[in-house]
Amino acid sequence: MAIFPMFLLCFIACFTTILAYTYRDEQILLHTLFANYSPAIRPVDQQSQPTAVQADFRLLEILSFDDREGVLKTISILTITWLDEKIRWNTSVYDIGHIYVSPSSVWRPRIFLNNPASEQLQIESGNKADDQVQYQSDGRAIYTYNGQTTTRCDANILYFPFDKHICELNFVSYESTSRVFLVAQTLGFVVPQSRNKEWEVLTVTMSQFEIRVASGVNQSNVKAAITFHRKPGFFILNMFLPIPCFGFINILVFLLPESSGERVSFSVTILLTLVFFLNLVGESLPPVSDPISIFNVIIMTQLLNSFLILISTLFTLLAFEGGQKDTDVPQSVRRVVSVMNKIVPKRNKVYSGTIHKGQKEEDADSVKVTSDEAKDQENMPSDRHLTWNDVSVVTNKFCFWLFLLLFIVELSVYLILMIY
């Protein structure tokens, strides 16, 4: 029973001895390590051998993404490690596991951001006064760059507001790969990631590649690709949903009676509303032509439909006014209306068989066409009783079904493109 307390006492004594190093111990270690150390010389015995630098990129938060300017602002951490052959010590002599030194006192690889949106190229930590390089007893050095990065990134607005973007941060060492080469490697550090209210991060991947800058001279690069997409809730409620609603309501103008006098004002109101939405979307999207947003094309299509509906409404009103004056219908109009009458879906014959001027009231029953006769005339309607009122009725039905079909096709194509 006395063995366990003795073992526990020895363990506590040894553990305390390992950790209980003094200020003087670390001062002696630093003085010994840096007695003949030069930060201007790469810390390897064989200078012909390159230094491998492992890089690990971690995204903390997307601050903003200006899709009009193509600028991505992020808060990120880039941790790099390398082996320093000149800063090593024996832990049995110095009971110290690791030390921290100022970056200016040691050699460290210079890492640059190759695609910045500002003039700052070299990656620096957030506060230079607090920068430190951690050294382990085997010579492994760990240095962390952290802070805000501003990079160039072209926006892909093809599927706005369901757009997804891939922005790359290219880190490069301008030294030749014969001296320093970068390696993309996950070091296992866990950092919390903040959420942005407008953008959602999907993936963050790293890769490495080399660029030939001269004959026999290559430079190593590490690329961090951030894939994120827009949170579309706001744009769906305020931009996407109103467009098909206005497009459908615009078609209902052909169901309004001509005598109401509200057809033209109704069509013009919808047309101006679509113009307003087009300007609103234009202010939200970057002024680029490659690619053009499908949503922008949809608004332009609805705007064109509204313009054609306005022209068709004016024609039906002119036909209605012609019926009030009881004038003859030209032969060319008769042919066009006859074709429309064959195309539009109908239950009964469209032609009303209106009594012509000079006909007696008692002959009205003989002029009207029975339902059986109407069925026979659906494929080949007679033009003898065609009036301007009939032209207005047929044109209204034809335009209603035509623009309804266009609206369904356009909306279906857009939804298919958004889904797939």
Side-chain angles (χ1 to χ4, degrees):
M1 296 298 294
I3 297 178
F4 180 75
M6 184 178 296
F7 173 78
L8 182 60
L9 183 62
C10 292
F11 176 78
I12 295 175
C14 294
F15 185 77
T16 307
T17 303
I18 294 175
L19 295 182
Y21 63 89
T22 64
Y23 174 86
R24 180 60 179 170
D25 294 336
E26 186 168 351
Q27 186 180 38
I28 293 175
L29 176 60
L30 292 176
H31 182 270
T32 304
L33 293 175
F34 290 96
N36 297 316
Y37 189 91
S38 175
I41 303 176
R42 194 160 51 91
V44 292
D45 291 329
Q46 298 295 330
Q47 290 292 310
S48 60
Q49 297 296 324
T51 300
V53 179
Q54 290 82 27
D56 183 16
F57 176 83
R58 296 302 173 96
L59 178 67
L60 296 182
E61 182 183 2
I62 293 181
L63 294 179
S64 65
F65 177 57
D66 190 345
D67 48 6
R68 292 183 61 87
E69 299 295 334
V71 176
L72 174 67
K73 292 183 180 181
T74 61
I75 296 180
S76 56
I77 295 177
L78 179 66
T79 303
I80 60 174
T81 67
W82 67 94
L83 190 62
D84 194 317
E85 298 180 3
K86 298 302 179 181
I87 302 182
R88 293 176 175 177
W89 64 93
N90 192 340
T91 55
S92 61
V93 178
Y94 301 95
D95 296 331
I96 301 175
H98 56 268
I99 59 175
Y100 293 92
V101 297
S102 173
S104 60
S105 303
V106 296
W107 178 92
R108 60 188 175 95
R110 301 298 191 265
I111 308 298
F112 294 84
L113 183 62
N114 209 22
N115 57 336
S118 60
E119 297 180 358
Q120 182 70 17
L121 290 177
Q122 185 171 357
I123 302 298
E124 297 291 351
S125 185
N127 190 347
K128 295 182 180 180
D130 296 335
D131 278 2
Q132 286 185 326
V133 182
Q134 178 185 348
Y135 281 89
Q136 299 175 356
S137 60
D138 59 352
R140 177 62 58 183
I142 303 175
Y143 184 64
T144 300
Y145 300 101
N146 63 83
Q148 177 178 321
T149 56
T150 304
T151 56
R152 285 285 178 187
C153 179
D154 294 331
N156 184 2
I157 58 170
L158 180 63
Y159 298 107
F160 175 87
F162 306 97
D163 46 335
K164 182 173 66 174
H165 307 273
I166 301 178
C167 293
E168 299 177 350
L169 284 75
N170 294 327
F171 301 99
V172 58
S173 172
Y174 287 141
E175 296 189 65
S176 172
T177 52
S178 61
R179 291 176 53 85
V180 175
F181 66 91
L182 300 179
V183 179
Q185 183 175 346
T186 301
L187 301 178
F189 299 110
V190 178
V191 293
Q193 188 178 101
S194 301
R195 301 182 63 182
N196 187 277
K197 294 183 179 180
E198 185 178 359
W199 305 97
E200 182 178 359
V201 179
L202 301 178
T203 59
V204 179
T205 59
M206 294 188 64
S207 60
Q208 62 189 57
F209 60 96
E210 293 185 5
I211 297 178
R212 181 179 295 274
V213 295
S215 178
V217 179
N218 296 339
Q219 290 178 349
S220 59
N221 292 254
V222 168
K223 178 175 64 177
I226 304 173
T227 303
F228 58 97
H229 69 90
R230 191 191 306 269
K231 296 179 180 178
F234 173 82
F235 296 96
I236 290 177
L237 292 177
N238 293 275
M239 289 187 182
F240 178 72
L241 290 181
I243 296 302
C245 293
F246 285 128
F248 180 74
I249 293 175
N250 201 7
I251 302 173
L252 300 181
V253 68
F254 296 107
L255 302 182
L256 291 176
E258 291 89 343
S259 58
S260 64
E262 298 295 334
R263 280 193 163 196
V264 175
S265 60
F266 184 83
S267 299
V268 171
T269 301
I270 299 297
L271 179 62
L272 294 178
T273 304
L274 291 175
V275 171
F276 168 77
F277 268 90
L278 183 63
N279 293 331
L280 187 63
V281 173
E283 293 177 356
S284 304
L285 299 179
V288 295
S289 300
D290 185 23
I292 297 179
S293 172
I294 298 178
F295 186 64
N296 204 350
V297 176
I298 286 295
I299 296 181
M300 284 298 301
T301 304
Q302 295 299 322
L303 187 64
L304 178 61
N305 290 349
S306 182
F307 179 74
L308 296 176
I309 288 175
L310 179 59
I311 295 178
S312 302
T313 302
L314 293 176
F315 177 79
T316 57
L317 289 177
L318 291 176
F320 179 76
E321 291 296 329
Q324 300 297 320
K325 298 178 181 179
D326 201 13
T327 58
D328 294 333
V329 180
Q331 187 64 28
S332 58
V333 177
R334 290 173 182 267
R335 295 194 187 97
V336 174
V337 173
S338 177
V339 174
M340 290 181 180
N341 188 48
K342 295 177 181 179
I343 296 176
V344 295
K346 51 190 175 296
R347 296 180 180 178
N348 295 320
K349 196 177 84 67
V350 173
Y351 296 152
S352 60
T354 305
I355 301 174
H356 288 278
K357 184 178 180 180
Q359 261 183 316
K360 295 182 180 180
E361 191 70 21
E362 57 270 14
D363 296 333
D365 294 335
S366 62
V367 175
K368 292 183 178 179
V369 183
T370 63
S371 59
D372 294 335
E373 294 173 339
K375 293 180 181 179
D376 296 335
Q377 294 178 2
E378 282 180 358
N379 296 327
M380 188 65 67
S382 174
D383 296 334
R384 184 166 56 89
H385 301 296
L386 183 65
T387 66
W388 280 110
N389 289 334
D390 296 325
V391 172
S392 178
V393 172
V394 174
T395 304
N396 279 322
K397 287 191 174 183
F398 177 80
C399 291
F400 174 80
W401 289 108
L402 173 63
F403 287 107
L404 181 60
L405 179 63
L406 287 176
F407 171 77
I408 294 175
V409 171
E410 293 165 358
L411 187 60
S412 300
V413 170
Y414 178 72
L415 293 177
I416 291 174
L417 291 175
M418 291 298 103
I419 294 175
Y420 294 102

